[in-house]
């Protein structure tokens, strides 16, 4: 195995595994809630998803933007500048987590009503507000675990980053079982279990800095407005890319609540859990390549950079086809993991094969987006991210069922991802790489 192949594997697999485990928190919640509290509770969890994932997407701007700056500066040999960027991103994430906690706990009922809960039954509406209240109470460890994971991985410890997320996931699984079944805490228990799992992750990840294993350190720094702007600019494409989750969830919740009602929202809850895991695997490949692209850009090594890009395309294409194959052939088995309600299973087995087909073009769009923002083609990356995450996808979700019937709502993401892929390929071919 060549040196660059080893580098590829050492960054991709921990990043992919770390993100997979991160999203596994919500999925495990869904499984335990669906099996222990019923399909209504499953739908209630999904109502809180747009707000939670919206803030997570915005928060991703700081670590991912900071990581890009850190990687380029390390490639140039500027260790002090790299640490300054790390501490700036770290602090911005911490401040945002405090804001999220306050807003989420005070306005939990209003937030879920905006997400479509006002059109649902009183039981589901109340449960969704309870879940959001207790989940956002743990906003600080939730956002900080993701932030620390990115920087620990970029600072030469991808294995520790993965271990930290695994420890949190294992704790979450055990606590989900404890709170939902023996203690009968229902949907509140699921939210608390997720929060405590993130606390364990943060503790493990902080060991990297306590033991001073890499080049980055948690220490005092001076506020630099220009650096904050640079971090935000570099991180905007990643934030917009991740906004596809809350935008998709919000549009689906609103449409399904009107067209189908409670069972429609519960069905999408199952699909969104499956989507989140697929997105974690495919985004993990792109995020794992990010520091490699950044270092190559800092060294002006175009050949090496393009080699890593081609590898990313191939790996994500293979993974997305594999994931779709599993979901196509084992759709009912996968759905029953969450809940065995006959109405839910019947609706979801119709929706899943159509919905998951979008994972294939999505896998390629994620590579193009991260590649462009890692090489300072921020405008192009923003265009791709906004297209797939906000504009085309929301239009598709609202228009497809009106034009082609209710079931067409499940094929809307495929249409949006294909249009975006055409745009991404065109932008990558027509924009020249400029070293700054």
């Amino acid at each position: 195995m060549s040196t660059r192949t080893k580098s590829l594997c050492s960054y991709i697999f921990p990043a992919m595994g770390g993100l997979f485990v991160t999203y596994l928190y919500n999925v495990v919640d869904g499984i335990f809630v669906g099996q222990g509290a019923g399909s209504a509770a499953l739908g209630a969890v999904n109502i809180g998803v747009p707000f939670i994932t919206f803030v997570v997407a915005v928060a991703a701007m700081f670590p991912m933007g900071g990581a890009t700056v850190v990687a380029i500066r390390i490639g140039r040999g500027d260790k002090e500048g790299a640490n300054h960027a790390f501490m700036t991103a770290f602090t911005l994430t911490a401040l945002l987590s405090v804001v999220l906690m306050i807003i989420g706990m005070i306005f939990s009922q209003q937030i879920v009503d905006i997400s479509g809960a006002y059109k649902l039954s009183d039981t589901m509406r109340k449960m969704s507000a309870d879940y959001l209240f207790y989940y956002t109470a743990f906003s600080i460890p939730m956002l900080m675990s993701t932030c620390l994971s990115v920087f620990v991985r970029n600072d030469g410890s991808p294995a520790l980053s993965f271990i930290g997320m695994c420890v949190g996931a294992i704790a979450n699984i055990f606590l989900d079982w404890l709170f939902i079944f023996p203690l009968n805490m229902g949907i509140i228990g699921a939210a608390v279990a997720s929060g405590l799992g993130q606390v364990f992750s943060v503790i493990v990840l902080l060991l990297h800095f306590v033991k001073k294993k890499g080049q980055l350190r948690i220490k005092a720094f001076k506020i630099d407005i220009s650096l904050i702007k640079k971090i935000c600019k570099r991180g905007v494409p990643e934030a917009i890319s991740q906004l596809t989750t809350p935008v998709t969830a919000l549009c689906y919740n609103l449409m399904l609540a009107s067209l189908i009602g409670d069972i429609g929202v519960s069905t999408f809850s199952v699909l969104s859990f499956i989507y989140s895991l697929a997105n974690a695997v495919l985004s993990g490949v792109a995020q794992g390549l990010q520091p490699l692209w950044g270092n190559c850009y800092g060294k002006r090594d175009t050949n090496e950079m393009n080699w890593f890009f081609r590898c990313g395309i191939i790996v994500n294409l293979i993974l997305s086809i594999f994931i779709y194959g599993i979901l196509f052939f084992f759709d009912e088995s996968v759905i029953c993991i969450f809940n065995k309600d006959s109405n839910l299973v019947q609706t979801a087995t119709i929706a899943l094969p159509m919905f998951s087909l979008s994972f294939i073009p999505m896998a390629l769009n994620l590579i193009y987006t991260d590649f462009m923002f890692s090489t300072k083609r921020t405008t192009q990356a923003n265009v791709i991210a906004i297209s797939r995450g906000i504009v085309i996808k929301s239009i598709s979700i609202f228009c497809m069922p009106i034009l082609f019937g209710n079931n067409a709502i499940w094929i809307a993401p495929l249409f949006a991802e294909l249009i975006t892929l055409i745009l991404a390929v065109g932008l990558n071919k027509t924009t020249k790489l400029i070293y700054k």
Side-chain angles (χ1 to χ4, degrees):
M1 186 181 290
S2 65
T3 302
R4 62 183 181 181
T5 302
K6 288 181 180 178
S7 296
L8 182 74
C9 294
S10 66
Y11 277 88
I12 280 182
F13 290 119
M16 188 168 58
L19 266 183
F20 182 86
V21 171
T22 299
Y23 281 95
L24 193 62
Y25 284 96
N26 284 337
V27 175
V28 169
D29 282 351
I31 293 172
F32 279 99
V33 167
Q35 297 293 348
S39 59
L42 195 60
V45 170
N46 191 60
I47 289 294
V49 166
F51 176 73
I52 293 169
T53 51
F54 171 78
V55 178
V56 169
V58 173
M61 174 172 57
F62 304 133
M64 291 307 298
T68 302
V69 176
V70 167
I72 293 173
R73 290 185 175 184
I74 288 178
R76 293 172 178 169
D78 182 10
K79 295 181 181 179
E80 188 61 33
N83 202 87
H84 193 185
F86 159 62
M87 281 305 303
T88 302
F90 177 88
T91 304
L92 290 171
T93 304
L95 291 174
L96 180 62
S97 66
V98 173
V99 173
L100 168 62
M101 180 178 66
I102 294 171
I103 294 175
M105 294 183 73
I106 294 176
F107 301 106
S108 58
Q109 188 64 67
Q110 291 87 338
I111 291 169
V112 297
D113 282 344
I114 292 173
S115 298
Y118 73 97
K119 295 182 178 180
L120 303 173
S121 64
D122 291 339
T123 300
M124 187 179 286
R125 182 170 176 262
K126 183 181 184 305
M127 284 194 294
S128 61
D130 289 341
Y131 181 80
L132 183 62
F133 177 89
Y134 286 97
Y135 195 95
T136 54
F138 291 91
S139 297
I140 295 175
M142 177 180 69
L143 296 187
M144 293 310 298
S145 65
T146 303
C147 175
L148 290 172
S149 177
V150 170
F151 284 108
V152 168
R153 183 173 68 244
N154 278 260
D155 198 26
S157 296
L160 181 63
S161 173
F162 178 58
I163 291 170
M165 305 315 291
C166 285
V167 168
I170 292 170
N172 181 38
I173 292 171
F174 170 74
L175 293 171
D176 263 325
W177 168 81
L178 177 66
F179 293 157
I180 293 176
F181 289 101
L183 298 182
N184 198 30
M185 293 173 63
I187 201 168
I188 295 174
V192 174
S194 291
L196 292 176
Q198 300 281 16
V199 172
F200 284 105
S201 287
V202 170
I203 292 171
V204 173
L205 293 169
L206 284 173
L207 293 176
H208 174 83
F209 303 99
V210 172
K211 295 183 177 181
K212 299 181 178 179
K213 288 186 175 182
Q215 300 181 52
L216 302 179
R217 301 285 182 269
I218 297 177
K219 61 181 183 180
F221 72 103
K222 291 183 179 179
I223 297 174
D224 184 342
I225 301 299
S226 63
L227 179 58
I228 293 175
K229 291 180 180 179
K230 181 179 292 186
I231 288 172
C232 292
K233 181 181 178 181
R234 299 284 179 266
V236 162
E238 178 64 23
I240 295 175
S241 180
Q242 290 198 27
L243 278 175
T244 184
T245 301
V247 168
T248 301
L250 178 61
C251 293
Y252 265 113
N253 286 343
L254 292 173
M255 286 298 291
L256 290 169
S258 299
L259 296 174
I260 306 175
D262 286 15
I263 194 65
V265 175
S266 296
T267 297
F268 179 66
S269 180
V270 173
L271 300 188
S272 66
F273 287 132
I274 295 169
Y275 166 84
S276 67
L277 289 183
N279 182 63
V281 172
L282 301 171
S283 293
V285 174
Q287 289 190 21
L289 286 165
Q290 179 269 320
L292 298 175
W293 287 328
N295 282 323
C296 290
Y297 183 87
K299 297 174 183 177
R300 303 193 174 197
D301 190 343
T302 305
N303 290 333
E304 189 88 347
M305 186 192 309
N306 287 333
W307 185 84
F308 283 124
F309 171 72
R310 289 192 296 272
C311 287
I313 291 291
I314 293 170
V315 171
N316 254 17
L317 183 60
I318 293 172
L319 284 173
S320 62
I321 294 173
F322 177 72
I323 291 170
Y324 178 73
I326 292 175
L327 297 175
F328 182 84
F329 290 107
F330 302 100
D331 52 351
E332 187 171 339
S333 299
V334 172
I335 292 162
C336 286
I337 292 173
F338 295 90
N339 190 268
K340 296 181 180 179
D341 179 83
S342 58
N343 290 333
L344 176 62
V345 172
Q346 182 180 2
T347 307
T349 49
I350 294 172
L352 183 56
M354 294 186 286
F355 183 82
S356 58
L357 194 58
S358 66
F359 297 169
I360 298 174
M362 177 185 79
L364 305 182
N365 287 328
L366 289 169
I367 294 293
Y368 276 105
T369 303
D370 278 25
F371 178 64
M372 287 187 180
F373 92 73
S374 295
T375 53
K376 291 190 175 182
R377 289 179 287 177
T378 309
T379 301
Q380 291 82 359
N382 280 336
V383 170
I384 297 171
I386 291 172
S387 170
R388 76 172 284 264
I390 300 175
V391 181
I392 299 177
K393 186 163 287 186
S394 59
I395 292 173
S396 298
I397 293 170
F398 284 117
C399 292
M400 294 289 277
I402 295 174
L403 296 174
F404 304 106
N406 289 355
N407 280 339
I409 194 170
W410 306 118
I411 207 75
L414 174 63
F415 176 78
E417 296 288 356
L418 286 173
I419 295 297
T420 303
L421 181 58
I422 295 171
L423 179 63
V425 172
L427 287 173
N428 189 54
K429 287 185 176 180
T430 56
T431 54
K432 186 178 179 181
L433 186 65
I434 300 174
Y435 290 103
K436 299 179 182 179

